[in-house]
Amino acid sequence: MALETVKELLSFDCGLLVAYQVYKSSQLESISFQTSQMRDVFLQHPEVVLIHRTHNPWGKALYTFMVDQPFMQLEGEVTKVIHFAVPTRESAEGLAQMYRTFKAFNPEWKRIKTFLVDPRFRWLPALSEAFPSVDVQLSVFHICKHLQHKIQQVSLEAHTERLVLSALRNGMCAPSESNLRKLYTVLCGFVKPNRLPQLHKEWLLNEKIWAFHRWRTWGQCSQYFKDLEMLTHSLSQIFCIGPSLETCITKIAKTYQKVVQKSSAESAPGPGPLLGENGSSIQNLLVLRSSAANSQRFLLPRDSAPTAAPTPLKPAAGVAAEESAREEEAEVTSREAEERIKQSLSDICTEPAARLCLNEFAVVQSSAQLMGNNGEVASVQILEDAQAVRHKGLSSCTCHFSQTFQLPCRHVLAVLNSEGKAFEPGRIPARWRKGNSTSQEGQSSSDGLLEVLSCSWDKLLDKYLAVSFLTAEISRLLSQCSHEEFDRRYSTLRELADSWIGPYVQVKL
C-alpha cells in the first residue's frame, strides 16, 4: 500500500522528491515530499520559513514548511508551501531525521535566516541543532491564534470579549509599537491576574517577534491571516480524515496540485477556497462566538488602513504606490479631524467649557479606544468602564461627565474622531456657548460652576469641585435605589456623619 502511494505521488510531478519509511505491515511509517514547484518557491524566497504542525488523533503529525514572504508576489498561502513531512515519531531522533531529509532535498538550506514556529512547537533543540546558523522566532500568526483562543476561554462578558478581540485585530493588522502596547494594557485591564500567565502577554512587547510582520500594510496583514487560517484549517481536516497515512498524504498532494494548476492557469487568480472543496473558507481569524458579535461593525479606525502601519519593504510597485497614498491620506485625515474638533470647540464654547472638553479630548488621543456600533448606540471603551453613546446626533453619553455638564465627553469625542467629524453648535447647551446671555447666569443651573471654572485654579477650588461631584453622585445613587436600599444607605451615611462630626451636631443629609 505504501509503494502504491509513492508511485501515485511520483505520477503527479516528474520532479517530485520523496523519502519514506514503511512498517513491517508495508504501511507508511514516515514520509517527506516536495514538488518541483515547491522547490522553485523556496529558491525564490529562502530567507524566512514558517513551520506549521498539524496532529491527528492517531499519534501522527504533519509538518508543513512555508516561505513567509509578501503575499502579493505569491497567489495564496498554499503556493507558499515548500515541503510536507510526517516523521516516524515526534522525538529528538525522529525530528532530526525529518530535518536531514529537508536539507538533502534543499541543498541551499544555508540561505535560510529565520524559522517562525508555534509557541507549542515540539523539540525546539532538535531544530536548532539541525540548523545552527538559523534564528528561531515565534510566529505572529500562531501567537494571535493563541491569544484569541485564550481570550475566549477566560469567561469575559460578551461585550467586553468583543472589545478585547477588536483590540487584538487592531494589533494584528497594524502591529505598531503603540497598538501592541495598547493591546497589552487592555489585556492587563480586563483579564484576571491569575489568568494572565496563560496569555503570555509579554510576547506583545517583543520587538524581534513583530519585526517579521511589521512591513505588511493593513490589507496585507488581513489577507495573510485569512490565507493561513484557511490553509491550516484545511490541512487539519484532510490529515484527520482517518488513520490511514497513505490516504491523507495522497489527498494532500492531489489538492495541492489542483490548486497550483488552477493558479497557474488563471492570469489573475482570486483568493478562492484553498486545499479543495472540503476546506471551509474562514473569512476572519477572529471568529466571534455570539450572534450579537456578528451585528457589530468594529471601527478600527474608520475601517481603513491605520496610520501606524509602516510602508512595506518589498511590495509590488503599483500596489506600493496605491497603499502608500492611501495611508498618507488616512494620516492627513486623522490630523485634520483632530484640528476640526479643537477649532469647533474653541469657536462655539465659552473658555471654561472648551477647556473641559479639550481635557476630555486629550484623554481620547492618549488612550486606547475600543468601539462598536450597532446603528443606534455606539459603545466606547477608553481603558475604563464601558459607556454607551447615543449615536443619532451624538446627543448624550451614559458617563458622569456628560450627565453632569451636558458637554461632549471623551466618549462622544472618540466617536467624532473615529468618523472624522467636527462638533456642531446645536449639540452644546446654550449656557456653555459664547455670546449667550445665559452663560453669564449659569450659576442657577450649574451651582456656580461657570464662576469656579473661570477663576484661577487652587487647592480650595479643587476641594470644592471634589465635594460637588461627590454630592451629586451620592444624590443620584440615592434617588435611583429602592426604599429599602435608600433606608440602608441613609443609615450608613448617618453613622458616618455622626462618627466624623459627632452626634451632638445636627448634620443635614
Side-chain angles (χ1 to χ4, degrees):
M1 190 171 182
L3 291 177
E4 293 176 1
T5 300
V6 172
K7 289 179 181 179
E8 189 168 5
L9 289 177
L10 293 171
S11 68
F12 294 154
D13 184 352
C14 61
L16 184 136
L17 300 174
V18 59
Y20 63 97
Q21 291 178 277
V22 296
Y23 292 108
K24 292 180 179 179
S25 59
S26 298
Q27 292 181 322
L28 280 176
E29 182 180 11
S30 68
I31 187 169
S32 297
F33 74 94
Q34 68 182 46
T35 66
S36 57
Q37 295 99 324
M38 294 179 187
R39 176 158 171 74
D40 290 341
V41 171
F42 174 70
L43 292 176
Q44 294 172 22
H45 308 280
E47 292 84 7
V48 183
V49 175
L50 185 151
I51 305 177
H52 177 74
R53 172 183 175 271
T54 306
H55 68 279
N56 65 20
W58 300 278
K60 284 295 185 181
L62 170 69
Y63 284 78
T64 306
F65 294 69
M66 294 172 273
V67 297
D68 194 74
Q69 288 297 312
F71 78 92
M72 298 300 294
Q73 300 178 12
L74 300 168
E75 289 76 16
E77 291 297 323
V78 71
T79 59
K80 292 187 180 184
V81 174
I82 59 173
H83 192 83
F84 285 115
V86 179
T88 54
R89 63 186 65 84
E90 289 191 284
S91 62
E93 181 182 352
L95 293 178
Q97 178 60 47
M98 179 183 75
Y99 297 138
R100 284 195 294 271
T101 302
F102 176 86
K103 292 164 70 174
F105 285 3
N106 302 282
E108 300 81 7
W109 63 267
K110 291 184 179 180
R111 295 170 59 188
I112 301 174
K113 296 180 180 179
T114 306
F115 279 120
L116 302 180
V117 299
D118 190 321
R120 298 170 295 179
F121 196 79
R122 302 281 184 94
W123 292 95
L124 274 176
L127 180 61
S128 299
E129 185 176 346
F131 301 90
S133 62
V134 181
D135 187 26
V136 179
Q137 292 291 337
L138 296 183
S139 157
V140 168
F141 169 75
H142 291 99
I143 286 178
C144 292
K145 285 290 291 180
H146 169 83
L147 288 174
Q148 177 202 3
H149 179 66
K150 291 300 181 183
I151 288 169
Q152 292 175 336
Q153 280 187 333
V154 296
S155 302
L156 297 173
E157 294 183 1
H159 174 74
T160 303
E161 181 180 294
R162 289 196 300 272
L163 294 177
V164 175
L165 289 176
S166 177
L168 174 59
R169 181 186 173 207
N170 201 18
M172 288 163 47
C173 293
S176 65
E177 183 179 351
S178 173
N179 283 344
L180 293 173
R181 188 165 290 278
K182 286 178 182 179
L183 175 56
Y184 178 92
T185 307
V186 167
L187 292 177
C188 293
F190 289 108
V191 179
K192 294 179 180 179
N194 64 323
R195 305 297 295 271
L196 280 174
Q198 304 174 21
L199 287 153
H200 294 283
K201 62 185 188 307
E202 67 277 3
W203 291 335
L204 299 173
L205 306 182
N206 189 321
E207 179 63 25
K208 291 187 69 176
I209 292 175
W210 297 92
F212 292 97
H213 185 63
R214 190 162 285 158
W215 55 264
R216 295 181 173 95
T217 63
W218 178 281
Q220 288 174 331
C221 286
S222 178
Q223 188 69 37
Y224 175 80
F225 286 111
K226 184 189 299 182
D227 286 347
L228 273 176
E229 177 73 9
M230 288 193 288
L231 172 61
T232 56
H233 179 78
S234 298
L235 284 174
S236 179
Q237 281 194 324
I238 296 174
F239 195 61
C240 296
I241 58 177
S244 172
L245 183 56
E246 289 83 358
T247 302
C248 295
I249 291 299
T250 303
K251 178 67 173 176
I252 289 173
K254 283 182 177 179
T255 50
Y256 169 82
Q257 284 296 102
K258 181 186 298 185
V259 174
V260 169
Q261 290 171 0
K262 181 180 179 182
S263 177
S264 300
E266 296 176 355
S267 58
L274 300 183
L275 284 180
E277 300 174 355
N278 292 332
S280 65
S281 177
I282 298 180
Q283 295 301 315
N284 199 317
L285 173 62
L286 296 178
V287 181
L288 304 179
R289 294 177 295 178
S290 63
S291 58
N294 295 328
S295 66
Q296 290 278 336
R297 182 176 68 88
F298 294 112
L299 312 175
L300 295 172
R302 287 192 285 284
D303 295 321
S304 64
T307 62
T311 304
L313 296 178
K314 302 178 181 178
V319 177
E322 183 180 350
E323 290 286 351
S324 178
R326 196 157 45 229
E327 289 173 7
E328 184 176 350
E329 181 182 353
E331 184 174 358
V332 172
T333 302
S334 178
R335 288 200 302 268
E336 288 179 349
E338 295 174 8
E339 291 302 322
R340 286 174 188 167
I341 292 175
K342 292 178 180 178
Q343 189 62 45
S344 59
L345 289 172
S346 178
D347 293 342
I348 300 168
C349 300
T350 59
E351 184 179 349
R355 192 159 66 245
L356 280 171
C357 295
L358 289 174
N359 287 341
E360 289 288 289
F361 189 44
V363 175
V364 172
Q365 292 174 297
S366 61
S367 304
Q369 304 155 36
L370 308 177
M371 286 172 277
N373 177 16
N374 64 4
E376 290 294 324
V377 176
S379 298
V380 180
Q381 191 133 4
I382 308 180
L383 294 182
E384 58 183 13
D385 294 337
Q387 305 295 339
V389 177
R390 291 292 300 175
H391 196 264
K392 186 177 181 179
L394 296 174
S395 55
S396 65
C397 177
T398 55
C399 74
H400 183 62
F401 180 93
S402 178
Q403 298 296 314
T404 302
F405 301 113
Q406 288 82 51
L407 284 170
C409 62
R410 64 191 66 177
H411 312 103
V412 170
L413 293 171
V415 175
L416 280 173
N417 188 44
S418 72
E419 297 179 349
K421 296 179 180 177
F423 215 84
E424 299 175 2
R427 296 174 183 170
I428 302 292
R431 67 175 181 274
W432 291 113
R433 291 202 296 267
K434 287 181 178 179
N436 195 298
S437 59
T438 58
S439 66
Q440 306 302 323
E441 305 170 358
Q443 296 185 10
S444 59
S445 59
S446 301
D447 295 328
L449 187 58
L450 281 174
E451 180 180 351
V452 171
L453 292 173
S454 299
C455 298
S456 59
W457 196 263
D458 58 33
K459 292 183 178 180
L460 181 60
L461 293 176
D462 195 2
K463 291 180 180 178
Y464 175 87
L465 281 183
V467 171
S468 299
F469 290 152
L470 183 60
T471 302
E473 183 65 12
I474 291 174
S475 300
R476 184 181 68 84
L477 292 173
L478 288 174
S479 65
Q480 293 178 355
C481 62
S482 63
H483 288 292
E484 295 79 3
E485 185 67 14
F486 176 84
D487 291 338
R488 187 181 66 81
R489 293 181 178 182
Y490 182 85
S491 299
T492 302
L493 289 172
R494 178 81 269 167
E495 292 177 8
L496 287 173
D498 289 345
S499 63
W500 183 28
I501 301 175
Y504 47 84
V505 178
Q506 183 63 34
V507 179
K508 182 180 180 180
L509 295 179

